[in-house]
Amino acid sequence: MKSKTPIHGNCHLCGRYRQLTYEHIPPQAAFNNHTILYDDIVKLLTKGFDQPFKGKQQQGGIGRYTLCSDCNSFTGREYGAPYVSWCMQGMEVLHRTASNPFIDMPFHIFPLRVLKQIVSMFLSVNGIGWRNANMDLVEFVYLPKRKYLSRKYSVYAFYSVSAIQRQSGTAIRFCTNERFENLGMDAFSEITFPPFGYVMTVDNDAHDSRLVDISYFANRAENELRMEYLKLPVLPIFTSYPGDYRTKEEIEEDIRTNERRDRERANQSL
Ligand SMILES: [Zn+2]
């Protein structure tokens, strides 16, 4: 939500203490602006691009105060348009396949710039401490020509057509089996906003095998416009928990299982 009073803090890109500007995540032109009601994006996917947008206006689009004005204009100038083009193509794929893309779809994009925009969004949704601990990512975003990401970083993508959008800084998820035995944990950040969702991990594998690794976008050159073929899954999102891709039926089944378990425990303790 936009603030009426100036907000100061450390910029999540350059790190300097400055007045911060409202950073739209994703960029405004990628279906995140005040003239589009969020629900309309989802309707767009079912009804098509010819339908006019209707509905009341959303206040300013989704985002947060994370970047100084210099860094905000810098990322917008360098990566904004390529990122928006990637999103438009993603919307088009979902629309043309009725949200069921089952083959590799071609994306005519600047892969390196798209990835830099995605990484800059992860710098924004994570705290300043995360930025300071991952200066390699700062450099990656700051230098448009800089290629390659360190192997410890992975960025994954999927399609999201859900009306629920999630932006989470690093979340820790404890994994258990059916008997609640600990299977370890994984840490990841997640950003979802139609048409895409992204997961970023540091020194960690993806927590869901359906996620598609797009870290190789970092190996392309700055001005390399090319065709990337991608077969991304449409992952269901029905809760606000990062990393939760259960279908409605799976969630209902889990609720029933938990209730049954609670009843059994209550009976045992009688
Ligand atoms: Zn800055």
Side-chain angles (χ1 to χ4, degrees):
M1 193 66 86
K2 279 194 173 179
S3 159
K4 288 198 174 78
T5 50
I7 291 181
H8 291 80
N10 289 98
C11 169
H12 286 218
L13 190 51
C14 68
R16 285 177 292 180
Y17 188 85
R18 303 185 77 179
Q19 183 173 334
L20 300 176
T21 54
Y22 192 75
E23 163 78 344
H24 286 83
I25 308 166
Q28 272 183 295
F31 307 103
N32 185 19
N33 72 37
H34 64 282
T35 57
I36 299 176
L37 186 68
Y38 188 81
D39 289 348
D40 284 334
I41 301 169
V42 178
K43 272 186 214 143
L44 183 75
L45 294 170
T46 48
K47 291 192 176 162
F49 290 82
D50 312 331
Q51 299 291 319
F53 287 118
K54 283 192 188 125
K56 48 185 194 303
Q57 297 199 343
Q58 184 181 311
Q59 284 294 319
I62 295 161
R64 45 185 83 190
Y65 286 86
T66 49
L67 299 186
C68 71
S69 63
D70 289 345
C71 290
N72 208 336
S73 346
F74 167 78
T75 53
R77 195 173 57 239
E78 294 291 335
Y79 314 129
Y83 183 80
V84 168
S85 169
W86 149 255
C87 288
M88 294 287 185
Q89 294 177 55
M91 280 289 188
E92 189 81 27
V93 167
L94 289 171
H95 173 50
R96 288 181 184 278
T97 62
S99 296
N100 186 25
F102 49 87
I103 51 166
D104 286 322
M105 299 302 288
F107 286 85
H108 196 230
I109 51 171
F110 289 98
L112 184 66
R113 292 174 188 240
V114 169
L115 188 66
K116 283 175 192 268
Q117 174 63 38
I118 296 170
V119 171
S120 86
M121 297 193 302
F122 277 111
L123 283 165
S124 277
V125 302
N126 277 282
I128 194 76
W130 192 82
R131 171 222 180 252
N132 295 341
N134 294 288
M135 288 304 289
D136 196 42
L137 295 180
V138 172
E139 194 189 290
F140 180 72
V141 173
Y142 224 41
L143 307 174
K145 289 188 191 324
R146 150 87 198 266
K147 291 167 69 175
Y148 308 119
L149 262 185
S150 154
R151 275 174 178 273
K152 68 178 187 170
Y153 300 112
S154 299
V155 177
Y156 301 89
F158 58 93
Y159 291 114
S160 169
V161 296
S162 167
I164 298 172
Q165 53 88 27
R166 303 195 290 224
Q167 294 187 358
S168 106
T170 304
I172 308 268
R173 212 171 59 146
F174 294 93
C175 311
T176 54
N177 61 15
E178 285 163 359
R179 282 170 291 166
F180 285 98
E181 288 164 345
N182 193 5
L183 299 179
M185 58 184 193
D186 46 34
F188 57 93
S189 314
E190 187 197 72
I191 297 168
T192 68
F193 193 105
F196 295 114
Y198 310 105
V199 165
M200 183 160 192
T201 60
V202 185
D203 289 322
N204 228 311
D205 291 330
H207 57 276
D208 191 303
S209 58
R210 292 170 293 177
L211 295 168
V212 173
D213 195 334
I214 57 164
S215 314
Y216 65 90
F217 282 11
N219 307 345
R220 312 304 188 210
E222 182 192 13
N223 290 320
E224 197 176 348
L225 177 64
R226 56 181 285 156
M227 204 68 94
E228 299 285 0
Y229 287 84
L230 288 163
K231 187 178 161 190
L232 305 177
V234 179
L235 296 186
I237 291 183
F238 287 100
T239 71
S240 54
Y241 305 118
D244 183 2
Y245 311 121
R246 290 174 299 169
T247 61
K248 232 177 181 152
E249 293 71 33
E250 286 168 335
I251 292 169
E252 284 163 4
E253 178 58 33
D254 283 350
I255 291 170
R256 280 195 294 273
T257 306
N258 287 340
E259 285 172 351
R260 198 164 54 235
R261 192 177 286 126
D262 287 348
R263 274 199 305 276
E264 281 166 12
R265 280 194 185 147
N267 287 339
Q268 280 165 7
S269 60
L270 282 177

